[in-house]
Amino acid sequence: MTSCHIDNAIRRLRFEHQEMTQQALAERIGVTRQTVNAIELGKYSPSLEVAFRIAAVFQRPLEEVFQFQP
Amino acid sequence: MSFREKSDWVSFISLGFFLIYFGGIARGIMTGSPTDNPYFYFILFWSLVVLLVVVQVVTHVVLAIRSPSDARTPVDERERLIHLRATRPAYFFLLVGTFLTIGTLHMNFTAWQTAHCVLAVIWLAELVRYGVRLFYYRHEV
C-alpha cells in the first residue's frame, strides 16, 4: 500500500520513557495498539493530529519524533 | 489481533454460511431444475439469518468480555482508512453484479431467480468488503 519515507524515533522514545508499551502509548493518543505498531514500523503515516499527540506524549518537538526522507 | 479485526473475521466467516444457500440456488439454476420447493429455501434462508445474528452477537459479547478495553477503543484513523479502502472494491463488485443481474432479464429468469441474483451480489460484495479489510489488517496498513 502506502510506502512512506517518514522515519520515526518512537521505539527509542518509548525506551527512554521507562519502556512505555505500545498499548500505553496507544491509550494516551487514542488509537489502537496495532496502529501504533504500524506507525512505528513505518507502514502507516499518521495524521498531523496523531503525530502531534505522539510528540506531546514524549514532550519533544515533532521533527524529533518524525523525520521526512525525500 | 485487534477487536475489530476479530470482529471482521467473525462477520466474514458467518457470512460464509450463506454459501450453503446461494450454492443450492446456483446449482438449481445451472442444472435447469430450479427450486421445486421454494418453502425449503425460505426456511433455509431465515434459519441462516438467525444463525448469523446469533453467531455475531455471541462471539462479539465473548470477544468484548475477553478484552473490554480493546472493544471500548473507538475506531481510529487507520481503521477508518482500511474501511474506506475496502469499500471501493466492494462497491465496484456491487456495480458489476447489478449490471450482470440486469442481464439475467434476457435469460428468461423468473422474478424469484432475479431477486436471488440481487441478494447474491449483495452477499458477495459484503464478502469482498470484509475480505479486503482483513487483507489490509494483515498487511498492517
Side-chain angles (χ1 to χ4, degrees):
Chain A
M1 288 285 298
T2 315
S3 61
C4 65
H5 302 284
I6 299 174
D7 290 338
N8 68 76
I10 296 174
R11 176 71 191 92
R12 178 177 58 79
L13 290 167
R14 283 199 299 112
F15 181 77
E16 288 171 4
H17 283 73
Q18 292 91 43
E19 276 288 333
M20 182 191 287
T21 62
Q22 288 183 340
Q23 183 64 43
L25 177 60
E27 283 169 12
R28 290 184 68 176
I29 61 174
V31 299
T32 61
R33 189 199 62 77
Q34 286 75 19
T35 296
V36 168
N37 187 50
I39 295 169
E40 200 171 296
L41 294 173
K43 291 183 175 179
Y44 171 70
S45 300
S47 66
L48 264 179
E49 188 184 338
V50 168
F52 274 112
R53 279 189 196 159
I54 294 170
V57 167
F58 295 125
Q59 295 171 315
R60 301 290 169 92
L62 189 63
E63 61 269 24
E64 192 179 323
V65 183
F66 294 97
Q67 298 87 35
F68 179 61
Q69 305 294 336
Chain B
M1 197 186 289
S2 70
F3 172 79
R4 258 170 293 280
E5 187 182 345
K6 288 174 192 162
S7 163
D8 282 357
W9 273 113
V10 170
S11 300
F12 185 74
I13 292 167
S14 54
L15 273 173
F17 296 157
F18 279 83
L19 184 64
I20 301 164
Y21 182 77
F22 290 113
I25 302 280
R27 196 172 53 244
I29 292 172
M30 299 278 192
T31 55
S33 58
T35 61
D36 43 357
N37 186 0
Y39 292 109
F40 168 74
Y41 283 101
F42 179 80
I43 292 165
L44 179 62
F45 181 81
W46 287 107
S47 304
L48 286 170
V49 169
V50 170
L51 182 66
L52 176 82
V53 171
V54 170
V55 167
Q56 291 262 3
V57 170
V58 170
T59 48
H60 279 86
V61 167
V62 170
L63 289 175
I65 289 170
R66 287 185 66 183
S67 53
S69 63
D70 203 12
R72 270 197 304 271
T73 309
V75 178
D76 68 20
E77 57 180 44
R78 175 176 150 271
E79 289 171 329
R80 268 196 298 274
L81 179 69
I82 288 173
H83 294 181
L84 277 173
R85 283 182 173 167
T87 303
R88 193 164 46 187
Y91 178 71
F92 175 77
F93 202 90
L94 189 68
L95 212 61
V96 170
T98 305
F99 278 101
L100 288 175
T101 303
I102 292 169
T104 62
L105 295 174
H106 301 287
M107 296 167 68
N108 296 324
F109 272 38
T110 63
W112 191 85
Q113 289 170 333
T114 304
H116 277 85
C117 285
V118 173
L119 277 178
V121 165
I122 294 168
W123 170 67
L124 284 169
E126 279 296 288
L127 277 181
V128 168
R129 192 161 69 96
Y130 283 111
V132 174
R133 274 193 199 187
L134 291 169
F135 172 80
Y136 284 140
Y137 275 124
R138 289 285 85 198
H139 286 76
E140 292 195 352
V141 173

